[in-house]
Amino acid sequence: MDRDQTDRDGETPARPTLKTLAFMTGLGVTTVSRALKDAPEIGAETRRRVQLVARQIGYRPNRAGVRLRTGKTNVISLVLNTEREIMSFVSDIIYGVSEVIADTPYHLIVTPYSRSQDPLDPIRYLVETGSADGIIISRTQPDDPRARYMLERGIPFATHGRTDMGLVHPYHDFDNYAFAGEAVRYLASIGRSRLALVTPPVGLTYYGHTLNGFADALSDVGASEVPFNTVSIDQSIEQIRMRTAQLMQRRDRPDGFVSSAAAATLAVVAGIEDAGLKLGRDVDVVSKQSSELLHLFRRELLVVNENFRLAGSELARSVLGWIGGSEPGSLQSLSKPSEVLPYRG
Amino acid sequence: MDRDQTDRDGETPARPTLKTLAFMTGLGVTTVSRALKDAPEIGAETRRRVQLVARQIGYRPNRAGVRLRTGKTNVISLVLNTEREIMSFVSDIIYGVSEVIADTPYHLIVTPYSRSQDPLDPIRYLVETGSADGIIISRTQPDDPRARYMLERGIPFATHGRTDMGLVHPYHDFDNYAFAGEAVRYLASIGRSRLALVTPPVGLTYYGHTLNGFADALSDVGASEVPFNTVSIDQSIEQIRMRTAQLMQRRDRPDGFVSSAAAATLAVVAGIEDAGLKLGRDVDVVSKQSSELLHLFRRELLVVNENFRLAGSELARSVLGWIGGSEPGSLQSLSKPSEVLPYRG
DNA sequence: GTGACAATCTGTAACGTTTCAGTGTATGGG
DNA sequence: CCCATACACTGAAACGTTACAGATTGTCAC
């Protein structure tokens, strides 16, 4: 006999709540609440009855109610830098995350920050306002203040890329050491011996991984490095292109490139051609790519695929796992690069 | 003398709430609440005092509390199809939206749906669970059930692309009629007269716009169309490539293409070259692009830029405007294409 | 018949916010 | 001196949920 339960004349019926369910089943709200989450002290039949009715009328717990009472937000936040990466893999990561959280109660919120900001700002905001149960970050550094902060505050997170602080936390990473190594070995196998590396952004962990993989493989195969330190993949297309062209006009120019990103590769190839040289004849380029488009660009390009959708899924799984109580150390994964793929394989 | 306000020994101090503020200022929570939102019935000095203290201790309203009490979520949802568009503009839209909501209390949640689902599903979910104050959708159709549904339910939204149902709602659109027209006129101006169109996905509104712009300009300049209906930009790279190659082997092949998306353009060019023809000599291609990469791909390509970051910003502004009470009809914008840009201009 | 105990259910309070309906105090008109 | 009124502030209730501390049965041992 609860006036609250009547639809105000003709309007959309109010969303069902526990109270609605309690009224319909003749039980108390407490009982309904527990019945819905299979608590043991509820009779089997009551439980079934409540769940049936709930399903019938399409009951959905009110997120604000749960969040206010329990502090649980059912939100995962993906923290992104808004000013990097042209040919963007961001959508792939998002889709990967989405895939995993699709049949959970979790929502994905995107928290951006700009170049000018302290990368710690968005993290602090999320933690201080309790806006998420878990956080995913990228552009990870060997000594990453964000990871340190989140560990201190005890909030579950996963990093795209590893850290090197002697602290254990979930991550997903692509094996850039292996990538650089295989790239070098492949170039050596087709007779290239003077190699240049288009590095990841200086300061990120995988910068080091890539450098090491490159260097180790170089000495392995007895090839030599042509220093190209003035360039990294987060520079503008124009800069990379110009510097590549300059490099290729020198007498001691490289005959092979290893590039850490597709967009940079486009610029490198443009620079090579600006210098009047020809891909596949004067120089070969191995590049990482995240979409299968580089082989359309120049058929002579050699590519290694990195799957960002997979990264997104793994990262989501890791955070959810940590939230669910798994050991952080058990939620780490490393993704192996595909073989180097020439266009005609 | 409220025990709640004491930090439990050494732990992180609890987040300040209205109660904390009330305790510190010696006022009632009601007064504090009103003082913070500049209600007129609060004394000027009290107001200043409360706001000062709030700022000092970094008070942030609890989202769950507000949401539960008022129903306001402070959330905008971007609804995305997870299985289309390879060279993805999604990140740009997200960044555009982020830019606008950055200094508002709004959060951005990404709500995905897959090809297999009814596109209405995610919308229904959002509306029924009251998970967002405003919604942004893309892949808009002339008669769009999602727009119709949201209008019925009275939830603010904006569409990326227009509808054609005689109903008024906020949108942002790129002027694809103008794009196709200018593309045709440019091709005609350099002597091309047999043109093919790589269309947007059939069924979306801008498919029609593009077709009309193409057709109208064709008859304007007296060029003719080479039918290429078997291809649209949401097909796979391989399909587009193959069909382009087939088309180019026919005697009545086109000498010009207008392409609605960069990824498709890569495939078209590959197909052209598969057929042994040369871009810029045998055929010219005008393509839309969202990142400045196509000119690196083939310098002979002619491009028109579409700015998705701008689209994201405009869409966000529109939704926020509608939420804020503006007239839906005043929240519509159309973005003009850049001129056709040859690589050497 | 009593007490113990398990099984099943329930009311109340609390999370943080805003709204409603006041309360108390000063000011001014008559 | 009283009443009206404006002003500045306040307590209680409510949003939907869960946790805590019971309450009501029925069963069984003794």
Side-chain angles (χ1 to χ4, degrees):
Chain A
M1 240 39 78
D2 196 327
R3 190 158 44 78
D4 294 359
Q5 299 309 329
T6 62
D7 309 351
R8 302 81 134 205
D9 53 333
E11 292 201 9
T12 332
R15 251 182 93 191
T17 69
L18 287 183
K19 206 161 142 195
T20 320
L21 244 38
F23 176 70
M24 293 180 73
T25 55
L27 297 163
V29 289
T30 306
T31 312
V32 172
S33 172
R34 315 195 84 156
L36 287 176
K37 44 176 60 74
D38 284 321
E41 63 268 52
I42 302 297
E45 203 209 302
T46 307
R47 190 157 49 210
R48 273 203 315 274
R49 200 159 58 87
V50 171
Q51 290 177 356
L52 176 72
V53 177
R55 221 174 312 116
Q56 291 288 340
I57 66 175
Y59 167 78
R60 308 268 203 158
N62 179 306
R63 310 191 118 236
V66 175
R67 180 164 169 178
L68 182 55
R69 176 67 236 237
T70 64
K72 180 137 213 274
T73 61
N74 284 309
V75 163
I76 300 291
S77 175
L78 177 62
V79 178
L80 292 176
N81 186 299
T82 55
E83 320 193 35
R84 315 264 179 171
E85 305 297 342
I86 300 180
M87 191 188 271
S88 193
F89 52 87
V90 164
S91 47
D92 284 318
I93 296 192
I94 290 179
Y95 293 155
V97 173
S98 296
E99 232 168 71
V100 171
I101 68 176
D103 27 41
T104 72
Y106 284 89
H107 283 181
L108 171 64
I109 91 176
V110 173
T111 308
Y113 67 101
S114 58
R115 196 198 296 271
S116 54
Q117 272 181 332
D118 183 350
L120 200 47
D121 281 353
I123 311 292
R124 269 206 215 93
Y125 168 81
L126 289 171
V127 172
E128 284 174 8
T129 62
S131 288
D133 296 336
I135 298 180
I136 297 173
I137 64 173
S138 56
R139 300 185 64 84
T140 310
Q141 305 179 350
D143 187 340
D144 199 299
R146 299 169 300 171
R148 204 180 286 284
Y149 176 81
M150 290 187 280
L151 275 172
E152 262 169 30
R153 307 300 295 257
I155 187 172
F157 68 97
T159 61
H160 188 202
R162 283 162 284 177
T163 57
D164 188 18
M165 315 182 286
L167 297 175
V168 42
H169 60 82
Y171 65 75
H172 175 83
D173 204 356
F174 178 79
D175 191 342
N176 287 284
Y177 179 91
F179 155 68
E182 287 189 23
V184 167
R185 270 182 282 274
Y186 188 91
L187 287 170
S189 80
I190 59 173
R192 302 305 185 179
S193 61
R194 308 185 35 73
L195 309 183
L197 175 65
V198 182
T199 71
V202 181
L204 305 194
T205 313
Y206 83 110
Y207 170 82
H209 293 154
T210 307
L211 241 60
N212 291 340
F214 186 71
D216 288 358
L218 276 184
S219 72
D220 239 37
V221 302
S224 70
E225 171 174 12
V226 178
F228 195 32
N229 306 321
T230 49
V231 163
S232 81
I233 60 170
D234 58 351
Q235 281 159 11
S236 76
I237 294 295
E238 284 67 31
Q239 280 207 332
I240 301 178
R241 177 178 187 167
M242 203 189 63
R243 293 193 171 140
T244 305
Q246 285 170 356
L247 178 72
M248 296 312 282
Q249 271 148 8
R250 287 165 38 186
R251 188 166 316 110
D252 58 344
R253 66 172 186 242
D255 57 6
F257 279 90
V258 176
S259 167
S260 292
T265 303
L266 301 186
V268 166
V269 170
I272 289 172
E273 293 173 353
D274 287 346
L277 301 176
K278 190 163 164 7
L279 202 62
R281 186 191 63 193
D282 306 309
V283 57
D284 276 295
V285 177
V286 180
S287 174
K288 259 203 313 192
Q289 68 171 356
S290 59
S291 47
E292 313 267 333
L293 295 174
L294 278 181
H295 68 278
L296 292 174
F297 175 58
R298 294 287 184 273
R299 57 181 29 162
E300 297 84 3
L301 277 173
L302 310 164
V303 298
V304 171
N305 291 312
E306 175 170 6
N307 188 340
F308 281 98
R309 189 159 188 150
L310 173 69
S313 296
E314 286 300 316
L315 287 166
R317 253 188 280 277
S318 293
V319 191
L320 292 185
W322 197 356
I323 292 174
S326 301
E327 278 305 311
S330 69
L331 299 166
Q332 305 171 330
S333 58
L334 196 58
S335 167
K336 291 288 166 193
S338 68
E339 310 236 319
V340 176
L341 304 166
Y343 176 55
R344 312 203 167 281
Chain B
M1 244 35 77
D2 196 327
R3 191 159 42 79
D4 294 359
Q5 297 310 327
T6 63
D7 310 351
R8 303 77 136 206
D9 54 331
E11 290 200 10
T12 335
R15 249 183 93 190
T17 70
L18 287 182
K19 208 161 139 193
T20 320
L21 245 38
F23 176 70
M24 293 180 72
T25 55
L27 297 163
V29 289
T30 306
T31 311
V32 172
S33 172
R34 315 192 86 154
L36 286 176
K37 46 177 57 77
D38 285 321
E41 63 270 51
I42 302 295
E45 203 209 302
T46 308
R47 188 156 51 212
R48 273 204 313 275
R49 201 159 59 88
V50 170
Q51 290 178 355
L52 176 72
V53 176
R55 218 172 316 115
Q56 291 287 339
I57 66 174
Y59 167 77
R60 306 268 203 161
N62 179 307
R63 309 191 117 237
V66 175
R67 181 164 169 178
L68 182 56
R69 176 65 234 240
T70 64
K72 179 136 214 275
T73 61
N74 284 311
V75 163
I76 300 291
S77 175
L78 177 63
V79 178
L80 292 176
N81 186 299
T82 55
E83 320 194 34
R84 315 263 180 171
E85 306 297 345
I86 299 181
M87 191 188 269
S88 191
F89 52 86
V90 163
S91 48
D92 283 319
I93 297 191
I94 290 180
Y95 293 154
V97 173
S98 296
E99 233 168 70
V100 170
I101 67 176
D103 27 41
T104 73
Y106 285 89
H107 284 181
L108 171 65
I109 90 176
V110 174
T111 309
Y113 67 101
S114 58
R115 197 198 296 271
S116 55
Q117 272 182 332
D118 183 350
L120 201 47
D121 281 353
I123 312 292
R124 270 207 215 90
Y125 168 81
L126 289 170
V127 172
E128 284 174 8
T129 61
S131 289
D133 297 336
I135 298 179
I136 297 173
I137 64 172
S138 56
R139 300 187 63 85
T140 310
Q141 304 178 351
D143 188 341
D144 199 299
R146 298 169 302 171
R148 205 180 285 285
Y149 176 82
M150 289 187 281
L151 275 172
E152 262 170 31
R153 308 299 297 257
I155 186 172
F157 68 97
T159 61
H160 189 202
R162 283 162 284 179
T163 58
D164 187 18
M165 316 182 286
L167 296 175
V168 42
H169 60 82
Y171 64 77
H172 175 82
D173 204 356
F174 178 80
D175 191 342
N176 287 283
Y177 179 90
F179 155 67
E182 289 189 21
V184 167
R185 268 182 282 274
Y186 188 91
L187 287 171
S189 80
I190 59 172
R192 301 304 186 181
S193 61
R194 307 186 34 75
L195 309 182
L197 176 64
V198 182
T199 72
V202 182
L204 306 194
T205 313
Y206 82 110
Y207 170 82
H209 293 154
T210 308
L211 240 61
N212 290 340
F214 186 71
D216 289 357
L218 275 185
S219 73
D220 240 38
V221 301
S224 69
E225 171 173 14
V226 178
F228 195 33
N229 306 320
T230 49
V231 163
S232 81
I233 61 169
D234 58 351
Q235 280 159 12
S236 75
I237 294 294
E238 284 68 32
Q239 281 206 331
I240 300 178
R241 178 179 188 166
M242 203 189 62
R243 292 192 171 139
T244 304
Q246 285 169 357
L247 178 72
M248 296 311 282
Q249 271 148 8
R250 285 166 39 188
R251 190 166 315 111
D252 58 343
R253 66 171 185 243
D255 57 6
F257 279 90
V258 176
S259 167
S260 292
T265 302
L266 301 186
V268 165
V269 171
I272 289 171
E273 295 174 351
D274 288 346
L277 301 175
K278 189 164 165 8
L279 201 64
R281 186 190 64 194
D282 306 309
V283 57
D284 275 296
V285 178
V286 180
S287 174
K288 259 202 316 190
Q289 67 170 357
S290 58
S291 47
E292 312 266 335
L293 295 173
L294 278 182
H295 69 277
L296 291 175
F297 175 57
R298 295 289 184 272
R299 60 179 29 163
E300 297 84 3
L301 276 173
L302 309 164
V303 299
V304 171
N305 291 312
E306 175 171 6
N307 188 340
F308 280 98
R309 189 157 188 151
L310 172 69
S313 295
E314 287 299 316
L315 288 166
R317 254 188 280 277
S318 294
V319 191
L320 293 185
W322 196 356
I323 293 174
S326 302
E327 279 305 312
S330 69
L331 299 166
Q332 304 172 332
S333 57
L334 196 58
S335 168
K336 291 288 166 194
S338 69
E339 310 236 318
V340 176
L341 304 166
Y343 176 54
R344 314 203 165 280

